[in-house]
Amino acid sequence: MPRKKRDYKKEYRDYHGKPEQIKNRSMRNQARRKMEKLGKVHKGDGKEVDHRKPLIKGGGNSMRNLRVVPRVVNRKKGAK
């Protein structure tokens, strides 16, 4: 059965374009830049910056809430 094509424009309009989601994306980008500046991650190294307490559950960008994990670990965390 062929997959239905994703409507990216609709996704942005209904979710990614909301002010709360824009703020969360900005915080994720800031966290990555913070860790790059400290030398804990590098472009293309297969690592991601993980928030121990997710932003959507009230987590922030303090160093206590950030950790570096392999990409596969971070992506597996949400899939169940």
Side-chain angles (χ1 to χ4, degrees):
M1 180 163 69
R3 288 183 118 163
K4 184 178 177 184
K5 283 197 167 195
R6 284 175 63 175
D7 187 349
Y8 291 101
K9 202 179 276 191
K10 181 182 185 310
E11 280 183 33
Y12 186 83
R13 185 178 60 241
D14 295 345
Y15 183 76
H16 300 292
K18 300 290 185 211
E20 182 182 359
Q21 298 310 320
I22 292 171
K23 181 181 174 224
N24 286 342
R25 181 171 63 245
S26 172
M27 289 184 70
R28 287 185 197 99
N29 292 338
Q30 287 173 18
R32 175 77 187 188
R33 285 195 304 269
K34 189 182 212 180
M35 292 301 219
E36 284 176 347
K37 196 171 188 178
L38 294 173
K40 296 188 182 235
V41 292
H42 305 283
K43 187 175 181 179
D45 66 359
K47 307 280 190 201
E48 291 186 348
V49 177
D50 178 43
H51 289 83
R52 294 174 196 263
K53 182 174 183 182
L55 296 174
I56 59 172
K57 293 186 178 177
N61 274 352
S62 68
M63 286 303 293
R64 293 175 70 184
N65 194 42
L66 297 177
R67 64 182 171 186
V68 176
V69 295
R71 180 180 184 175
V72 40
V73 170
N74 200 37
R75 302 292 169 102
K76 191 187 301 186
K77 188 169 71 171
K80 288 188 180 177

